[in-house]
Amino acid sequence: MDKNEEQGCVSMNIERFQTELQKNDIHLTQKQLDQFETYWKMLVKWNEKINLTAITEREEVYLKHFYDSLTGAFYFPFVQKENDPAPTLCDVGAGAGFPSIPIKIAFPHLQVTIVDSLKKRITFLEELAKELQLENVHFYHDRAETFGQNPLHREKYDIVTARAVARLSVLSELCLPLVKKNGYFIAFKGSSGKEELVEAQKALSILGAHTENVHHFHLPIEDSERTLLIFKKDKQTPKKYPRKPGVPSKNPL
């Protein structure tokens, strides 16, 4: 136990960030570490103008945003298979870029699409991607319900992610229409994950997916509970889903 843990502080410095990731076979280059540091600086700077996050302390951002986003890679392979095209990932309601931008930094081969309903957040992410020199990242200012009915995006993605967006019964309707058949939907949840999974069974069945894996774990240092839910899509989502904006949250499946 280090000094910070003894004092009960929530602190993840860059060295600890690296060490914890290395334990899970994620090895970052100096360039990638520099990208995370620039990300934090831009997040703090832009947060003064627009509400991106309540968490701005460097060590907390590294733990609760950067590390937390990368926990998805502990349980799901974001690697590119030999002779296969780069996997496509769509992040729904990414907010300040979580989990997709940390995943993209760690796995630069990914082709990433981000959709968010707030134009200001999209503007921040566009500037961030430019500053970090990220390639193959595309941003869309749209509601997930509308985006999921767009033939250019519907059932086009290998992986769809979402973190801190909505309860799973609602989130499934926003995300699964974007997933290709045999693709994956990954939901980043806290301690409520198991309970949400139970109430979302009907929605998952209607939308064409089954639960592939459920992973429960705790963040280091602060020991808060996390649940990573991984769903595989077995069949096409009926055309009526997602329903019109606002309907999924008002009347979950």
Side-chain angles (χ1 to χ4, degrees):
M1 182 177 285
D2 67 23
K3 196 183 294 180
N4 285 316
E5 285 179 275
E6 288 171 7
Q7 294 169 351
C9 297
V10 177
S11 177
M12 177 171 270
N13 59 28
I14 293 171
E15 292 75 20
R16 182 71 184 268
F17 180 62
Q18 278 184 281
T19 303
E20 293 293 338
L21 292 178
Q22 286 166 359
K23 288 178 187 175
N24 291 278
D25 209 26
I26 298 174
H27 302 273
L28 301 178
T29 64
Q30 188 57 52
K31 178 187 174 183
Q32 289 167 316
L33 290 169
D34 290 345
Q35 286 174 312
F36 277 112
E37 188 66 3
T38 301
Y39 192 170
W40 168 68
K41 288 175 180 174
M42 284 191 70
L43 186 67
V44 171
K45 183 180 174 184
W46 277 70
N47 204 56
E48 292 172 3
K49 298 182 284 183
I50 61 172
N51 182 26
L52 293 169
T53 176
I55 298 167
T56 56
E57 289 296 323
R58 185 188 195 181
E59 289 80 8
E60 282 199 87
V61 170
Y62 269 83
L63 175 63
K64 295 181 180 179
H65 284 327
F66 297 165
Y67 180 87
D68 190 37
S69 293
L70 288 172
T71 57
F74 301 171
Y75 304 103
F76 185 87
F78 289 102
V79 294
Q80 182 175 1
K81 292 177 183 172
E82 197 175 347
N83 301 321
D84 279 0
T88 54
L89 182 151
C90 181
D91 193 12
V92 173
F98 308 119
S100 51
I101 298 292
I103 291 171
K104 171 66 175 175
I105 292 172
F107 302 93
H109 61 274
L110 290 172
Q111 297 185 61
V112 173
T113 295
I114 289 177
V115 57
D116 197 273
S117 61
L118 197 66
K119 178 63 175 155
K120 287 178 182 177
R121 286 196 291 252
I122 291 294
T123 301
F124 162 71
L125 291 169
E126 287 171 339
E127 290 300 314
L128 176 68
K130 201 182 297 178
E131 189 68 29
L132 299 183
Q133 298 181 321
L134 300 178
E135 297 177 354
N136 294 317
V137 186
H138 307 283
F139 303 97
Y140 294 90
H141 171 227
D142 203 353
R143 292 282 299 248
E145 297 97 329
T146 313
F147 196 72
Q149 288 290 359
N150 185 331
L152 296 175
H153 299 282
R154 185 178 180 85
E155 299 190 319
K156 300 293 186 193
Y157 296 96
D158 299 308
I159 308 154
V160 174
T161 58
R163 175 180 179 264
V165 175
R167 287 188 73 79
L168 188 61
S169 53
V170 177
L171 195 60
S172 301
E173 186 173 349
L174 303 181
C175 294
L176 280 167
L178 295 164
V179 183
K180 286 179 180 176
K181 188 180 174 186
N182 296 319
Y184 295 88
F185 163 40
I186 305 175
F188 291 68
K189 290 287 179 182
S191 57
S192 66
K194 194 183 287 187
E195 172 198 325
E196 290 187 37
L197 180 59
V198 172
E199 70 178 32
Q201 288 306 308
K202 181 185 173 188
L204 292 164
S205 176
I206 290 170
L207 298 162
H210 74 270
T211 307
E212 182 91 342
N213 278 303
V214 178
H215 300 281
H216 299 288
F217 57 97
H218 290 80
L219 287 188
I221 304 168
E222 67 158 23
D223 206 37
S224 58
E225 193 177 339
R226 294 289 187 269
T227 309
L228 192 82
L229 303 166
I230 302 174
F231 305 98
K232 187 167 185 181
K233 188 161 176 180
D234 307 302
K235 56 182 189 285
Q236 287 188 314
T237 299
K239 288 181 181 177
K240 66 184 282 190
Y241 304 109
R243 292 165 291 171
K244 290 180 181 179
V247 175
S249 57
K250 284 177 191 165
N251 186 23
L253 292 173

